[in-house]
Amino acid sequence: MLIDNFYKVLSSAHEDNEWHFEVVLPVSCHIYRGHFPEQPIAPGVCLIEMVRELSEQAIGRPLRITSITKCKFSALLLPSDTDVLQVNIRLLSSNDNEITIDASVCKQATTYTRMQAMLS
Amino acid sequence: MLTGEALYDLIPQRPPIVMVDALWSVGTDNAVTGLTIAADNIFVENGCLREAGLIEHIAQSAAAFSGYDAFSKGLPPRLGYIGEIKQMRIAGLPCVGSRLTTRLQVVAQAGMVTLMSAKVECEAPNTEKTVVAECQIKIFMTE
């Protein structure tokens, strides 16, 4: 994990081309000292990094983001030791050196982030 | 023009997540910012700045651009959030010691929402400048 203690995976499941992870974002993560000093808010880029790392875990090899078609942040995400988030990663296409994914970070009906990206 | 901790007057982020260390120029609808990649940067892995660090650098460059306007009016920096990233291409991950130079151009602005285009060039020691990332980024500012 690049940002130490940014997320903790509680469970994971996989069927066909979809992976589902349940995670929490611990409030004790040191990133919140600076983002922001008076109001901890999960940095959107850390969610992107979390999706990249979980994609590596799903696919089973190192992956680098080569393009982001679109990544939308719809709601502010506050860290919490108890709120369980769902990270959904759907593999849209894959060949020897590049994959395309559609990923989202949600809590029940709320979608915080949705991203379509290519990784290699 | 403004470097190092002087940028703290323009952006709300603080260590360990400060990802911009220079504001080279500001126009009415454009800005040029910089970042030298330190070995202890939290987004550095195996000697290179990961994608998240590049994107955060772009977002904070936009924050510095907006913050400069507030600063010149004697106001503190406001919190801004990434609303959307589009058409992003990442050609490579810059290594520790390289210098990023980022050109921002306002594409559209409405109320508290600003859409900007960004181009990040990287200059590593003893190599030519290359474009490492390009994107469009939408920033939401708070009141």
Side-chain angles (χ1 to χ4, degrees):
Chain A
M1 192 182 300
L2 177 59
I3 304 300
D4 191 37
N5 194 38
F6 176 68
Y7 63 97
K8 198 158 72 181
V9 177
L10 304 180
S11 73
S12 64
H14 167 219
E15 63 178 300
D16 301 329
N17 287 329
E18 291 197 32
W19 286 262
H20 303 280
F21 298 88
E22 286 190 317
V23 305
V24 291
L25 305 184
V27 294
S28 57
C29 179
H30 69 304
I31 202 90
Y32 301 114
R33 290 209 313 262
H35 199 280
F36 296 93
E38 284 161 21
Q39 185 180 9
I41 292 170
V45 298
C46 292
L47 299 177
I48 294 175
E49 171 63 13
M50 176 175 72
V51 166
R52 189 194 66 79
E53 291 173 12
L54 293 176
S55 299
E56 286 187 336
Q57 195 177 314
I59 305 295
R61 64 179 164 93
L63 292 169
R64 185 175 80 72
I65 299 172
T66 52
S67 67
I68 297 175
T69 313
K70 188 172 175 174
C71 179
K72 195 167 178 153
F73 297 95
S74 309
L76 292 183
L77 181 46
L78 310 181
S80 158
D81 294 324
T82 53
D83 287 356
V84 178
L85 304 172
Q86 288 81 44
V87 182
N88 308 299
I89 299 171
R90 191 150 57 96
L91 189 63
L92 299 179
S93 70
S94 112
N95 61 35
D96 288 347
N97 46 32
E98 198 156 56
I99 64 165
T100 307
I101 60 163
D102 182 344
S104 61
V105 178
C106 312
K107 186 173 73 190
Q108 290 152 2
T110 307
T111 300
Y112 292 99
T113 303
R114 176 128 187 234
M115 166 167 88
Q116 283 97 42
M118 291 172 90
L119 301 91
S120 72
Chain B
M1 180 175 156
L2 280 172
T3 56
E5 291 190 11
L7 269 291
Y8 291 7
D9 285 332
L10 309 186
I11 61 169
Q13 291 84 4
R14 289 293 177 271
I17 199 176
V18 173
M19 290 292 138
V20 59
D21 64 11
L23 179 65
W24 298 120
S25 71
V26 188
T28 51
D29 66 350
N30 62 81
V32 180
T33 66
L35 175 70
T36 299
I37 301 166
D40 63 355
N41 185 306
I42 52 158
F43 291 111
V44 164
E45 185 176 59
N46 301 326
C48 295
L49 187 71
R50 287 242 63 124
E51 302 87 333
L54 268 174
I55 301 169
E56 186 63 20
H57 165 66
I58 293 169
Q60 292 187 19
S61 297
F65 166 74
S66 306
Y68 185 81
D69 183 53
F71 177 67
S72 61
K73 292 170 184 159
L75 301 169
R78 294 174 304 184
L79 295 193
Y81 306 101
I82 304 173
E84 195 173 88
I85 296 158
K86 278 195 303 190
Q87 297 162 24
M88 179 156 210
R89 200 179 58 82
I90 301 175
L93 304 179
C95 57
V96 166
S98 25
R99 292 194 321 175
L100 304 181
T101 304
T102 298
R103 278 160 222 287
L104 289 166
Q105 178 70 46
V106 174
V107 175
Q109 187 160 25
M112 307 301 271
V113 185
T114 308
L115 178 66
M116 306 188 89
S117 67
K119 185 191 254 193
V120 184
E121 287 183 320
C122 173
E123 204 174 357
N126 307 317
T127 56
E128 281 186 25
K129 258 190 193 182
T130 53
V131 175
V132 284
E134 283 180 282
C135 74
Q136 290 213 341
I137 187 164
K138 199 184 276 182
I139 302 282
F140 290 97
M141 299 302 293
T142 57
E143 292 292 341

